[in-house]
């Protein structure tokens, strides 16, 4: 089975909720997608750039067993940092970012695609990635790829990605992003769209026709950050083994429910001098 190479950020995150949940933990879409795919039985590698704070510790960190770290880059300075505020319904209301080492992500991703055009890619279309450059390179190289978005930057990123979306195997969006997607492109021309909507049914659309609808399991969330990424990684892993859209979506929503109810991934301690 071809490895899933996930282009995106791995970060140090701090989350806040009105009921005082949250705190500091590992984050980043590339980490969460790769971890979900790995847990679902598919080899996956984050194509990311780590700073001096995470590069020495992540490959040996507990709880991340199975992730292939060979596609990472390293740079001086800190890794990307996200400060995320959610409401009680788990909707993101504010995001503040320091990109740090991730400013070099586009350069690193383009070089990786040139070296490994036969990999299967998932592109986390969010800043600071130059999505147009990366998607254009993937299409020119004939690489297979899927994409997702991040709501604070989705309006811009969806418009940027629109010329290449018909070439994507799967587009992952939440309900708000799906509305933006429908204004930016003809969704009936897209091979597969996975739409999540919190506790409401998740759906799969293929060329404008609904092919699956699954009600997510209800579990009290500890941390919602990474839920959509878990859906994406799990769905892609199961689809790569021949699962139907309904089967893959069922597995993906179950995995996401378990993920949000579990403790967050701790930031590994720096090695002692």
């Amino acid at each position: 089975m071809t490895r899933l190479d996930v282009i995106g950020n791995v970060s140090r995150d701090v989350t806040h909720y009105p009921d005082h949940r949250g705190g500091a933990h590992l984050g980043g879409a590339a980490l969460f997608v790769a971890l979900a795919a790995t847990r679902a039985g598919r080899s996956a590698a984050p194509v990311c750039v780590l700073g001096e704070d995470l590069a020495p510790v992540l490959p040996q960190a507990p709880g991340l067993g199975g992730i292939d770290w060979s596609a990472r880059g390293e740079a001086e300075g800190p890794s990307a940092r996200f400060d995320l505020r959610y409401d009680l319904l788990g909707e993101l209301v504010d995001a503040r970012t320091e990109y740090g080492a991730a400013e070099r992500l586009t350069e690193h991703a383009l070089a990786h695609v040139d070296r490994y055009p036969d990999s299967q890619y998932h592109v986390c279309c969010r800043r600071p990635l130059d999505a147009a450059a990366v998607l254009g390179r993937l299409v020119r190289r004939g690489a297979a790829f899927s994409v997702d978005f991040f709501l604070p930057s989705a309006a811009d990123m969806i418009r940027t990605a629109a010329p290449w979306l018909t070439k994507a195997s799967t587009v992952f969006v939440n309900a708000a992003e799906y509305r933006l997607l429908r204004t930016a492109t003809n969704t009936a021309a897209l091979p597969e769209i996975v739409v999540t909507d919190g506790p409401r049914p998740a759906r799969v659309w293929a060329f404008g026709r609904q092919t699956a609808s699954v009600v997510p399991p209800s579990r009290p969330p500890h941390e919602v950050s990474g839920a959509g990424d878990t859906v994406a990684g799990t769905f892609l892993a199961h689809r790569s083994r021949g699962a139907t859209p309904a089967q893959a979506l069922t597995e993906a929503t179950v995995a996401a429910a378990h993920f949000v109810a579990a403790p967050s991934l701790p930031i590994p301690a720096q090695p002692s001098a």
Side-chain angles (χ1 to χ4, degrees):
M1 185 186 305
T2 305
R3 187 178 72 178
L4 181 65
D5 286 0
V6 186
I7 298 174
N9 298 317
V10 174
S11 57
R12 300 168 63 104
D13 289 1
V14 179
T15 54
H16 311 267
Y17 298 85
D19 59 1
H20 307 297
R21 282 179 294 137
H25 56 84
L26 285 175
L31 173 65
F32 291 142
V33 173
L35 180 61
T38 298
R39 288 176 172 175
R42 183 171 186 182
S43 177
V47 182
C48 62
V49 181
L50 302 177
E52 296 167 307
D53 48 352
L54 294 182
V57 295
L58 275 192
Q60 295 81 34
L64 305 180
I67 290 180
D68 182 346
W69 289 103
S70 64
R72 75 188 187 277
E74 299 180 8
E76 295 180 354
S79 300
R81 300 173 185 233
F82 290 83
D83 191 286
L84 306 169
R85 294 186 180 273
Y86 295 89
D87 64 20
L88 285 175
L89 298 178
E91 300 292 335
L92 183 65
V93 296
D94 185 52
R96 300 180 183 182
T97 307
E98 296 177 11
Y99 294 119
E103 294 282 6
R104 296 182 57 186
L105 176 59
T106 299
E107 172 190 356
H108 176 66
L110 291 173
H112 185 86
V113 171
D114 286 342
R115 286 195 300 270
Y116 304 103
D118 295 330
S119 287
Q120 171 83 38
Y121 286 90
H122 180 75
V123 184
C124 306
C125 294
R126 54 201 74 189
R127 301 185 181 106
L129 186 71
D130 184 340
V134 171
L135 294 175
R137 185 71 57 88
L138 288 168
V139 171
R140 287 194 296 275
R141 289 288 191 173
F145 67 94
S146 52
V147 301
D148 71 11
F149 301 95
F150 182 47
L151 187 56
S153 61
D156 290 338
M157 282 293 186
I158 288 173
R159 285 193 298 268
T160 297
W164 297 279
L165 292 183
T166 57
K167 301 294 186 181
S169 62
T170 310
V171 176
F172 294 90
V173 289
N174 64 24
E177 294 161 353
Y178 184 54
R179 291 190 289 271
L180 295 170
L181 184 68
R182 294 181 67 181
T183 68
T185 191
N186 176 15
T187 55
L190 303 187
E192 188 170 71
I193 309 170
V194 176
V195 185
T196 56
D197 193 11
R200 292 164 288 278
R203 293 183 167 86
V204 180
W205 299 84
F207 296 111
R209 182 175 63 88
Q210 183 175 300
T211 59
S213 177
V214 173
V215 177
S218 178
R219 300 192 67 174
H222 169 74
E223 176 63 75
V224 301
S225 178
D229 303 318
T230 301
V231 167
T234 307
F235 185 91
L236 291 169
H238 285 278
R239 287 290 274 152
S240 71
R241 294 198 295 271
T244 66
Q247 291 168 338
L249 189 61
T250 298
E251 295 289 346
T253 55
V254 169
H258 283 289
F259 181 82
V260 301
S264 302
L265 298 171
I267 297 172
Q270 295 290 316
S272 57

